[in-house]
Amino acid sequence: MITIIFDVDDTLYNLMEPFERAHQELFASRTGADCEQLFMASRIYSDEAFYMHEKGLISAEEEFAYRIRKTYADVGIEVTGELAAKFEERYRYYQKHIHVPEGVQEILDYCKGQDIPIGALTNGKHKYQNKKAQTLGLDRWFSDERIFISEDIGYTKPNPNAFFAVQQALQLDSEKTWFIGDTFEVDVEGAKKAGWHVIWFNHRHRQMPEGEIRADREVFSEKELLEVIEEITK
């Protein structure tokens, strides 16, 4: 039987929702820029900031402010330290109200009902990602020992060692392991380099980067994702 490992952020829940609500409070009156485009830019800058912090180039306190400053600089808004802190405060507040969408719940219920082994692998700090898992109620589908956070395992996606750490801990066969994630450069490339199969959950319709690496399957909606999971698990 195959095993399915899920990404968390923007895969098991809508990561854009807390960003959008904070944006509406603080910046919507100052720019007509499309919020989803801003969010997607913030994701790129978030990854930049994360890896900069990992390398000791910026502090943990500067990490969130970096991505907000860079995101809004793209549309001509200079964000002060005070405003960046306010955005983070509102973002963290709305993060406390995130939920697993019904379509994703259906997917996880299907896996549980079919006794398909599942797990989760996410980048981030333990305190934030663990709290997020609690808010989302992931214990309904995932036991604690099957949720892997980069800070705990010592490697971050797309480093193949992050995937190898999960593979070793769960004693997985790479040929029978599938990863599902939304970010090509982090999720797809990392999992493929580790020898796993990958479903790219491209629900934000990002353009595929150039290069030789390709996902085994690409889907654009929760409905399509469930159909592929049903197909590969038969």
Side-chain angles (χ1 to χ4, degrees), residues 61-132:
E61 292 72 23
E62 295 171 316
E63 191 175 338
F64 192 94
Y66 174 90
R67 68 168 169 172
I68 297 305
R69 286 197 179 104
K70 295 281 284 185
T71 296
Y72 285 98
D74 286 349
V75 292
I77 296 176
E78 183 177 351
V79 178
T80 64
E82 181 181 358
L83 194 53
K86 180 65 174 177
F87 192 102
E88 180 173 11
E89 184 271 321
R90 299 310 295 158
Y91 180 86
R92 300 295 182 200
Y93 170 79
Y94 289 123
Q95 267 196 327
K96 296 176 183 177
H97 300 84
I98 56 177
H99 64 282
V100 178
E102 288 186 8
V104 177
Q105 291 186 40
E106 185 178 357
I107 289 167
L108 296 175
D109 286 342
Y110 172 81
C111 292
K112 186 174 181 179
Q114 297 296 315
D115 293 322
I116 299 165
I118 61 174
L121 170 60
T122 180
N123 282 349
K125 298 179 177 64
H126 176 89
K127 68 175 182 178
Y128 291 134
Q129 298 304 87
N130 187 56
K131 180 63 177 177
K132 198 178 292 178

Side-chain angles (χ1 to χ4, degrees), residues 70-207:
K70 295 281 284 185
T71 296
Y72 285 98
D74 286 349
V75 292
I77 296 176
E78 183 177 351
V79 178
T80 64
E82 181 181 358
L83 194 53
K86 180 65 174 177
F87 192 102
E88 180 173 11
E89 184 271 321
R90 299 310 295 158
Y91 180 86
R92 300 295 182 200
Y93 170 79
Y94 289 123
Q95 267 196 327
K96 296 176 183 177
H97 300 84
I98 56 177
H99 64 282
V100 178
E102 288 186 8
V104 177
Q105 291 186 40
E106 185 178 357
I107 289 167
L108 296 175
D109 286 342
Y110 172 81
C111 292
K112 186 174 181 179
Q114 297 296 315
D115 293 322
I116 299 165
I118 61 174
L121 170 60
T122 180
N123 282 349
K125 298 179 177 64
H126 176 89
K127 68 175 182 178
Y128 291 134
Q129 298 304 87
N130 187 56
K131 180 63 177 177
K132 198 178 292 178
Q134 293 175 14
T135 301
L136 291 168
L138 294 187
D139 59 350
R140 173 176 162 184
W141 303 281
F142 303 90
S143 59
D144 288 344
E145 64 271 15
R146 298 185 77 88
I147 298 178
F148 298 85
I149 301 170
S150 64
E151 184 178 49
D152 297 332
I153 62 178
Y155 300 101
T156 60
K157 300 178 295 180
N159 188 331
N161 286 325
F163 300 88
F164 291 145
V166 175
Q167 184 171 316
Q168 182 175 11
L170 300 181
Q171 293 296 291
L172 304 178
D173 179 348
S174 61
E175 286 297 315
K176 296 180 179 179
T177 304
W178 286 75
F179 190 76
I180 298 172
D182 69 292
T183 306
F184 192 96
E185 296 85 349
V186 175
D187 298 318
V188 177
E189 292 187 5
K192 291 300 291 183
K193 287 178 180 178
W196 293 11
H197 300 289
V198 184
I199 302 172
W200 183 22
F201 185 25
N202 189 17
H203 59 95
R204 298 205 183 276
H205 299 270
R206 296 180 173 94
Q207 185 174 354

